[in-house]
Amino acid sequence: MSSHNTVSFSEARRVAVFGGTHGNEMSGVTLVNLWVKNGAEIQRKGVETKPFITNPKAVEKCSRYVDTDLNRAFTPENLSAPGGDDLPYEVQRAQEINRLFGPKGSPEAYDVIFDLHNTTSNMGCTLILESSKDHFNLQMMNYIKKAIAPASCPVLLNEHPLLKYSTSRSVAKHPVGLEVGPQPQGVLRSNIFEAMRVILKHALDFIELFNEGMEFPPCTVDVFRVSERVDYPRDANGNIIAMVHPNLQDCDWEPLNPGDPMFQTFDGKTIHYEGAGTVYPTFINEAAYYEKQQAFVTTRRETLVASAIRKA
Ligand SMILES: CC(=O)N[C@@H](CC(=O)O)C(=O)O
Ligand SMILES: [Zn+2]
């Protein structure tokens, strides 16, 4: 690829690190609280990095949310609704966050927002990307993958027309989700905490290098594209009648082929995957997704091309 394909971005001077978008995901809550007290670790030359607890009421209660899921609340309708105390707490909070870090979609918005999450699924260190056309984020993810090799960090791409949702980080020009697991809700595990910290370190290093004028040549990034959500098997009353099959439990990012075991009913029968081809399940048995009627999400592997980038 030649230099005319180089994409220019302005320097990423305004960066935020969000924790507590879900109040019971303790790595992000703890790291952000730590950095609010002393932010030296997340400061980089020429960058202002703001650590911020997005849902303090949910953190206080150690629950995912108070009224409604904050990480679904950044819709155009919510953000443009007339404010007021009668709105659900998280909708009020979304408006406030949009004022502080947005407005979403505007030139005034923050350059990059990292949103720190934990999952009960065995996903390892997952980076969540919201657009396959965001070459800045693709280059950042390539940089992080190289930096942590031979450890791996899968990239989950969600630009599904129905399954994509309106996240807290989506107010930024370049939204980055960081999802690390397995870690139970309300629990801190040192390995998960440290893994999240290392990924964020490399991400901030990338931003510093970019701002210093480093050019990043074209590259490819392997991603897992969100394909379908799969619910638990249910009876006529809507009650769950099966669990994730032991062969599938903890096997996030591993191939699931037609005919493979998928669920196990309470009376011991196996339910097989009947899809058309190989998929890569993730968010397998995530605790927070029982209320969303989701046992796991299927993804398909894809290789994206990132253009060369440099600062404008
Ligand atoms: C387990 C969990 O909360 N996952 C996040 C994923 C994301 O940030 O996109 C969510 O559902 O909002
Ligand atoms: Zn979360």
Side-chain angles (χ1 to χ4, degrees), residues 22 25 64 117-118 179:
H22 296 128
E25 296 175 358
R64 184 172 173 87
H117 290 260
N118 290 119
E179 184 74 79

Side-chain angles (χ1 to χ4, degrees), residues 3-282:
S3 60
H4 69 265
N5 283 327
T6 299
V7 182
S8 304
F9 294 96
S10 51
E11 287 179 53
R13 297 213 162 276
R14 295 196 305 159
V15 173
V17 182
F18 285 179
T21 290
H22 296 128
N24 56 6
E25 296 175 358
M26 300 312 291
S27 301
V29 170
T30 309
L31 283 169
V32 167
N33 277 332
L34 185 75
W35 293 329
V36 166
K37 279 195 204 140
N38 180 355
E41 183 181 342
I42 55 169
Q43 297 314 324
R44 294 293 185 279
K45 221 182 315 128
V47 189
E48 186 75 55
T49 307
K50 181 154 184 65
F52 188 79
I53 295 287
T54 43
N55 196 337
K57 272 199 188 179
V59 169
E60 180 65 34
K61 291 178 61 183
C62 197
S63 60
R64 184 172 173 87
Y65 54 80
V66 176
D67 291 331
T68 186
D69 194 333
L70 180 64
N71 219 27
R72 305 288 181 279
F74 291 72
T75 60
E77 301 73 42
N78 281 347
L79 297 180
S80 64
D85 291 349
D86 49 323
L87 289 173
Y89 169 70
E90 279 84 3
V91 175
Q92 296 182 45
R93 192 66 183 153
Q95 294 185 346
E96 205 173 327
I97 291 166
N98 190 47
R99 281 193 295 273
L100 291 169
F101 297 93
K104 181 170 171 170
S106 78
E108 293 80 54
Y110 262 55
D111 297 301
V112 183
I113 294 176
F114 297 102
D115 195 14
L116 307 183
H117 290 260
N118 290 119
T119 173
T120 63
S121 307
N122 188 27
M123 289 168 67
C125 284
T126 298
L127 294 163
I128 308 181
L129 183 63
E130 304 200 352
S131 163
S132 57
K133 296 181 175 65
D134 186 337
H135 295 276
F136 181 88
N137 271 354
L138 284 170
Q139 286 285 357
M140 184 196 301
M141 292 178 183
N142 177 59
Y143 177 91
I144 295 168
K145 277 170 167 284
K146 297 249 148 80
I148 68 157
S152 65
C153 80
V155 175
L156 177 63
L157 168 64
N158 190 354
E159 48 185 14
H160 191 285
L162 304 173
L163 299 179
K164 185 169 175 165
Y165 37 84
S166 304
T167 58
S168 313
R169 56 189 175 266
S170 70
V171 304
K173 296 188 179 97
H174 306 289
V176 180
L178 183 42
E179 184 74 79
V180 190
Q183 180 171 270
Q185 297 177 338
V187 170
L188 259 181
R189 289 179 54 117
S190 50
N191 60 327
I192 300 297
F193 176 93
E194 292 299 341
M196 180 177 273
R197 186 178 212 162
V198 167
I199 299 286
L200 193 71
K201 172 205 146 29
H202 292 307
L204 293 170
D205 289 349
F206 168 85
I207 293 173
E208 178 173 286
L209 290 171
F210 175 81
N211 286 352
E212 280 175 345
M214 184 179 280
E215 293 200 21
F216 294 84
C219 66
T220 59
V221 184
D222 293 331
V223 304
F224 295 87
R225 182 187 284 276
V226 169
S227 177
E228 289 180 291
R229 49 179 287 273
V230 177
D231 189 13
Y232 294 92
R234 292 172 191 274
D235 66 17
N237 299 319
N239 297 311
I240 289 176
I241 56 163
M243 304 165 276
V244 168
H245 193 279
N247 288 22
L248 178 59
Q249 178 66 51
D250 299 329
C251 296
D252 301 71
W253 309 119
E254 289 176 31
L256 179 71
N257 294 302
D260 284 349
M262 179 168 60
F263 295 110
Q264 179 175 290
T265 65
F266 302 149
D267 51 2
K269 292 194 190 70
T270 297
I271 298 172
H272 298 90
Y273 178 62
E274 306 288 4
T278 302
V279 292
Y280 296 83
T282 196

